[in-house]
Each structure stands twice: as structure tokens, then as C-alpha cells.
């Protein structure tokens, strides 16, 4: 699933986790520049590639929770999100939470 530069409304951002939960075999998710502020409710066990770049995602713990739930994840792009500036060790913590990203 790829949404690149499609600015989601607040209502669309609220229902997105529910829509994604109906896709348990989803392997690629690109939500680049869509206005996401949170990924707390994402559970995507088959995801291999995740691109959440250039959003407004805050909260390192929320991102870590998602990465832990993506047990097949091999590649992720989080560039341009505020949570990267919240914690200087966040990339190390993400890699520790999902060793396949190393």
C-alpha cells in the first residue's frame, strides 16, 4: 500500500489503523508525507518494508511498539519525523527492538 503526499484528514488518520488491521498479510507500507502524528495502533506482523518518512510522528515509545509488532520487518524509513529528535538513542533502540533492521 502506497500513499505518497496524500494529506490525510484527521478522520482518515483515526480510521487508518483499523483499515490496516484488515490487511494482516500486508508486506509493504509507504505512508510518506501524509500528515501522520501517531502510529500507536499499527499492528502489522507481515510487514517487510515500512516508510513513514516526512510525517509528524511523535513519541518514541509508540514507534518502538510498532516496530516490535512488525516481526518480519527488514527495512524502515522514519526520516523527517519529530520523534527522531526527541531521543538521541532512538535509532539504536529501534534496531534493538527489531534486530532484522540492523
Amino acid at each position: 500500500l502506497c500513499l505518497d503526499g496524500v494529506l490525510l484528514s484527521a478522520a482518515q488518520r483515526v480510521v487508518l489503523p483499523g483499515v490496516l488491521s484488515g490487511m494482516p498479510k500486508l508486506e509493504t507500507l509507504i505512508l510518506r508525507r501524509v500528515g501522520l502524528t501517531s502510529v500507536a495502533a499499527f499492528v502489522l506482523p507481515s510487514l517487510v518494508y515500512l516508510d513513514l518518512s516526512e510525517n509528524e510522528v511523535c513519541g518514541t515509545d509508540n514507534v518502538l511498539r510498532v516496530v516490535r509488532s512488525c516481526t518480519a520487518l527488514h527495512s524502515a524509513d522514519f526520516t523527517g519525523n519529530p520523534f527522531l529528535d526527541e531521543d538521541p538513542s532512538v535509532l539504536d533502540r529501534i534496531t534493538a527492538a527489531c534486530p532484522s533492521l540492523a
Side-chain angles (χ1 to χ4, degrees):
L1 176 65
C2 177
L3 296 175
D4 188 348
V6 178
L7 192 58
L8 299 175
S9 69
Q12 290 169 322
R13 289 191 304 263
V14 167
V15 299
L16 184 61
V19 171
L20 293 175
S21 69
M23 302 177 189
K25 295 184 186 233
L26 185 67
E27 293 184 359
T28 299
L29 180 60
I30 300 169
L31 297 173
R32 190 180 307 129
R33 294 185 304 266
V34 297
L36 282 181
T37 56
S38 176
V39 293
F42 287 18
V43 178
L44 304 162
S46 299
L47 204 64
V48 175
Y49 178 79
L50 175 63
D51 183 343
L52 298 176
S53 61
E54 306 303 325
N55 281 290
E56 298 298 323
V57 177
C58 296
T60 301
D61 290 337
N62 292 329
V63 175
L64 289 171
R65 190 174 306 116
V66 170
V67 169
R68 285 186 195 108
S69 78
C70 299
T71 55
L73 195 62
H74 286 282
S75 181
D77 186 352
F78 300 111
T79 57
N81 282 282
F83 81 88
L84 292 171
D85 298 326
E86 294 172 7
D87 178 355
S89 67
V90 68
L91 293 178
D92 292 334
R93 293 176 64 198
I94 288 171
T95 302
C98 185
S100 60
L101 289 175

